[in-house]
């Protein structure tokens, strides 16, 4: 058993997202905490948040997987960008407390020429400023495709960040199937091997959520172009093995595939029929 849903628009508020999720057959979903390409955030209405919490309880939803904006780069070579990223991170974590106990996922960042080690240090530094012991949210590092200077395409890099952070108990990992395949982990030919590698390097107890996306490109391409489930290089058979694998049981699975509502509805139904 897994939870399944897709990325939804926040434009009509929290409760509307819950209603949309139900309409699509979902029992979890993702949303951007703020404008993904800018960074501005809407005011949160506490009653709207409470209404969503009620809907989720009544319908046995799994945890939500909120997504940080793409503009957040905690390890940019540009100091202003790092500062802006930290401000967004701190503000987002405060906002997440309106929906206590869910997940907040972010891209570790792009080191933009500084090197992976410096990137990792700066990400840890930012997390140490943002994470507090009374936080109810678990902050997830997303596994990346390794496009450009992205940090987090190797499990070792994710592990180094997790280990470096003071409040490491507040941290987990979101595995993106398109990204790990693009990064060179063979989830099609050797899912067991990749799961074992994740467990050996990071520890499976750190795995909290999955982004379920097919890839337009072959394994190891470092391209990060998502494809509809079954239509890309990962394919239906591999996804059947992934959604039924015991390592992923009980986790929220989020579709970030190039679809409109009908497409998501069909993919959610496919997952339910095969899980
Ligand atoms: Fe992402
Ligand atoms: Fe993703
Ligand atoms: Zn991606």
């Amino acid at each position: 058993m897994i939870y399944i849903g897709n990325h939804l628009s926040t434009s009509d508020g929290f409760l509307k997202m819950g209603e949309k999720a139900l309409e699509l057959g979902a029992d979890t979903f993702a949303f951007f905490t703020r404008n993904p390409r800018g960074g501005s955030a809407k005011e949160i209405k506490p009653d709207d948040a409470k209404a969503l919490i009620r809907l989720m309880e009544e319908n046995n939803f799994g945890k939500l997987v909120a997504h940080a904006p793409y503009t957040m780069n905690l390890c940019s070579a540009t100091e202003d960008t790092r500062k802006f990223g930290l401000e967004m991170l701190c503000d987002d974590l405060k906002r997440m407390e309106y929906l206590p106990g869910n997940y907040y996922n972010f891209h570790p960042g792009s080191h933009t020429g500084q090197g992976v080690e410096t990137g990792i240090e700066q990400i840890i530094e930012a997390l140490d400023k943002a994470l507090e012991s009374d936080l109810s949210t678990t902050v997830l590092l997303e596994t990346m495709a390794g496009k450009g200077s992205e940090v987090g395409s190797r499990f070792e890099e994710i592990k180094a960040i997790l280990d470096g952070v003071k409040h490491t108990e507040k941290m987990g990992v979101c595995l993106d199937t398109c990204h790990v395949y693009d990064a060179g982990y063979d989830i099609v030919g050797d899912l067991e091997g990749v799961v074992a590698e994740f467990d050996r390097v990071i520890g499976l107890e750190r795995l909290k959520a999955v982004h379920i996306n097919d890839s337009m490109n072959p394994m190891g391409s470092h391209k990060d172009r998502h494809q509809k489930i079954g239509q890309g290089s990962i394919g239906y058979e591999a996804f059947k093995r992934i959604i039924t694998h015991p390592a992923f049981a009980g986790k929220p699975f989020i579709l970030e595939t190039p679809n409109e509502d009908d497409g998501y509805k069909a993919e959610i139904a496919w997952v339910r029929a095969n899980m």
Side-chain angles (χ1 to χ4, degrees):
M1 242 299 287
I2 58 170
Y3 297 96
I4 179 72
N6 61 303
H7 201 106
L8 296 174
S9 160
T10 54
S11 56
D12 298 317
F14 285 135
L15 178 61
K16 287 285 181 220
M17 281 194 284
E19 289 170 351
K20 177 59 113 184
L22 287 176
E23 190 187 311
L24 298 176
D27 54 9
T28 178
F29 62 88
F31 62 94
F32 283 118
T33 48
R34 57 183 65 230
N35 181 330
R37 306 204 179 270
S40 61
K42 288 200 306 188
E43 202 196 322
I44 291 177
K45 299 193 181 76
D47 286 345
D48 184 33
K50 280 187 196 134
L52 171 61
I53 292 167
R54 200 174 317 121
L55 177 144
M56 288 173 61
E57 281 168 3
E58 285 167 4
N59 293 280
N60 301 313
F61 271 45
K63 285 185 193 294
L64 305 180
V65 191
H67 200 302
Y70 295 131
T71 42
M72 190 175 109
N73 185 5
L74 303 178
C75 61
S76 167
T78 308
E79 194 184 346
D80 280 351
T81 307
R82 291 202 303 273
K83 257 179 71 186
F84 179 54
L86 178 61
E87 279 164 23
M88 288 194 286
L89 174 61
C90 291
D91 188 48
D92 276 354
L93 292 179
K94 284 194 192 94
R95 296 159 61 82
M96 285 299 293
E97 291 301 309
Y98 285 95
L99 299 169
N102 287 291
Y103 295 139
Y104 176 78
N105 168 79
F106 77 104
H107 297 178
S110 294
H111 64 69
T112 61
Q114 303 187 95
V116 178
E117 275 173 39
T118 302
I120 289 172
E121 277 168 31
Q122 291 176 342
I123 295 161
I124 293 169
E125 201 180 310
L127 286 164
D128 277 344
K129 285 181 182 145
L131 298 184
E132 297 185 16
S133 49
D134 57 354
L135 194 75
S136 75
T137 303
T138 303
V139 176
L140 308 185
L141 298 164
E142 180 167 349
T143 61
M144 301 311 292
K147 196 175 63 175
S149 64
E150 273 174 357
V151 177
S153 64
R154 306 301 308 166
F155 293 162
E156 287 80 1
E157 296 167 15
I158 299 278
K159 169 69 170 169
I161 299 168
L162 292 174
D163 278 356
V165 173
K166 221 182 308 141
H167 284 298
T168 190
E169 79 283 0
K170 305 286 178 194
M171 303 277 309
V173 179
C174 175
L175 184 142
D176 187 308
T177 56
C178 167
H179 296 178
V180 290
Y181 196 57
D182 275 23
Y185 292 100
D186 189 6
I187 53 172
V188 176
D190 185 21
L191 179 62
E192 283 310 327
V194 176
V195 168
E197 176 77 353
F198 187 103
D199 193 32
R200 185 182 67 79
V201 176
I202 300 175
L204 275 174
E205 70 285 354
R206 292 288 196 163
L207 180 67
K208 304 296 182 192
V210 176
H211 283 171
I212 175 171
N213 305 308
D214 212 326
S215 175
M216 287 189 182
N217 295 290
M219 185 175 80
S221 61
H222 305 294
K223 288 266 178 36
D224 191 5
R225 297 284 307 280
H226 299 190
Q227 179 56 291
K228 294 175 181 166
I229 300 301
Q231 313 293 301
S233 55
I234 297 176
Y236 282 121
E237 291 310 312
F239 280 115
K240 282 184 193 168
R241 291 191 290 271
I242 291 167
I243 62 181
T244 53
H245 196 289
F248 304 131
K251 316 279 185 240
F253 274 57
I254 304 295
L255 294 156
E256 301 173 309
T257 45
N259 275 305
E260 303 294 329
D261 283 358
D262 283 351
Y264 285 126
K265 205 172 181 172
E267 287 185 344
I268 290 167
W270 182 84
V271 168
R272 290 204 183 286
N274 287 282
M275 74 189 203

